[in-house]
Amino acid sequence: MNFSSARQYFYQEIQQPDEYINLAKAALYIAQEEYPNLDLEEYLDALNTMAQEVQERLPTSRYPLRLIQSLNQYLYDDLGFTGNHSNYYDPCNSFLNDVIDRRTGIPITLALVYLEIAQRIDFPMVGIGLPGHFLIRPDIPDMEIFVDAFNRGEVMFAEDCQERLTQMFQQPVSLKPEFLATVSNRQFLARMLTNLKYIYLKQQDLAKTLAAVERILLLFPMAMLEIRDRGLLYYQLGHHLQAAEDLQNYLSKVPDAEDAVVIRRLLAELGKD
């Protein structure tokens, strides 16, 4: 595989068992494709410094809610981190270096900053892939409290998550158990890349959309919808041989897909080239 150096480092990082993947490093390798001269150590050091400063102001009692209160005060009151409500779909919100520099981002990248600092003060937290809004929670058995890093570290319970879903989708939504399940490190990174994928697609930047899809497929090589999307992007970019290969692969694995008729029609058109 002929990858850029940033892509190579990303690939090497995610080849490890999931629990050993360094999320901050992997996220910075994602950003490094946008910023080739990005210095990873500068931003890893920034996270270390933030954690040291939080450590100095932690309460004697390490009860989780008190730790969350200390983290919130430091990140949101002292440093001024905030959710980027006004320009949510700015790609910079998905790059960890930009989030640290600008102190604003989207739910998943602010959650990443929060997680990384919490981990460094020996307060491990995990990601929660709530549809449409990423949350985190303490990695403590039977502790069903959730933190919304996008909204100043708001502490939420399952009932609040239900209400948030109803607000977002503007209709009653059942809170299924899987909505509050923890995500793996690979799933975390794939969700970050999926955000970038749709941001770039909305901007009609097909090359960068393709780059996001390619990295999702490094994480999950058998993600058939991503293989289909890569094929469609190849087609739009004029790479017809690669497009045909991906689309044939998609149909062979999902012959009864809802879009099978459209994909077969496209393959027939490609066969004329």
Side-chain angles (χ1 to χ4, degrees), residues 184-202:
S184 68
N185 286 331
R186 285 184 177 81
Q187 289 170 328
F188 194 113
L189 295 167
R191 187 149 168 170
M192 287 182 67
L193 287 162
T194 299
N195 286 335
L196 275 175
K197 170 187 172 181
Y198 288 114
I199 288 167
Y200 286 135
L201 191 60
K202 188 175 180 180

Side-chain angles (χ1 to χ4, degrees), residues 8-206:
Q8 287 174 355
Y9 288 130
F10 178 77
Y11 181 71
Q12 289 168 9
E13 186 64 38
I14 64 172
Q15 290 312 294
Q16 304 178 87
D18 192 87
E19 63 271 23
Y20 294 122
I21 294 173
N22 185 314
L23 275 178
K25 277 188 177 180
L28 288 167
Y29 292 139
I30 289 172
Q32 206 169 40
E33 290 207 22
E34 184 73 16
Y35 302 104
N37 296 322
L38 186 151
D39 181 356
L40 263 72
E41 292 305 318
E42 176 185 345
Y43 291 95
L44 295 173
D45 287 346
L47 291 169
N48 291 336
T49 298
M50 285 188 270
Q52 289 167 5
E53 291 178 353
V54 171
Q55 187 77 52
E56 292 169 2
R57 61 186 71 191
L58 290 180
T60 308
S61 168
R62 290 182 62 88
Y63 184 67
L65 284 173
R66 291 192 176 179
L67 294 177
I68 290 168
Q69 185 178 36
S70 295
L71 279 161
N72 288 351
Q73 182 176 356
Y74 175 72
L75 284 171
Y76 303 109
D77 295 338
D78 297 353
L79 295 188
F81 275 90
T82 184
N84 194 339
H85 296 268
S86 61
N87 199 5
Y88 193 90
Y89 296 102
D90 182 346
C92 293
N93 293 326
S94 292
F95 298 129
L96 181 57
N97 59 311
D98 281 327
V99 173
I100 291 172
D101 285 340
R102 306 190 317 160
R103 298 187 179 177
T104 190
I106 52 177
I108 195 166
T109 47
L110 290 170
L112 178 56
V113 171
Y114 206 112
L115 284 173
E116 288 292 325
I117 295 172
Q119 181 183 48
R120 286 163 169 76
I121 62 169
D122 198 26
F123 179 48
M125 301 184 79
V126 290
I128 301 295
L130 190 73
H133 198 84
F134 201 85
L135 301 173
I136 49 180
R137 71 164 176 80
D139 191 14
I140 299 172
D142 301 322
M143 177 161 281
E144 291 297 306
I145 62 169
F146 306 91
V147 175
D148 183 354
F150 187 71
N151 287 304
R152 295 183 56 82
E154 177 188 359
V155 174
M156 303 170 66
F157 299 92
E159 296 81 4
D160 302 310
C161 296
Q162 170 77 72
E163 187 176 332
R164 182 65 54 83
L165 284 172
T166 298
Q167 289 172 352
M168 284 190 300
F169 294 102
Q170 298 183 332
Q171 61 182 3
V173 178
S174 298
L175 186 66
K176 299 177 182 177
E178 58 265 31
F179 290 174
L180 298 180
T182 60
V183 299
S184 68
N185 286 331
R186 285 184 177 81
Q187 289 170 328
F188 194 113
L189 295 167
R191 187 149 168 170
M192 287 182 67
L193 287 162
T194 299
N195 286 335
L196 275 175
K197 170 187 172 181
Y198 288 114
I199 288 167
Y200 286 135
L201 191 60
K202 188 175 180 180
Q203 295 178 351
Q204 297 186 317
D205 190 332
L206 299 185

Side-chain angles (χ1 to χ4, degrees), residues 217 220-228 230 244-260 263-264 267:
L217 283 166
F220 296 104
M222 296 305 294
M224 298 314 301
L225 291 179
E226 300 300 333
I227 288 173
R228 178 203 64 188
R230 184 176 64 183
E245 183 179 348
D246 273 347
L247 296 176
Q248 286 167 352
N249 186 11
Y250 170 66
L251 282 183
S252 71
K253 299 292 195 304
V254 197
D256 299 323
E258 289 184 5
D259 56 1
I263 299 298
R264 288 192 180 95
L267 279 168

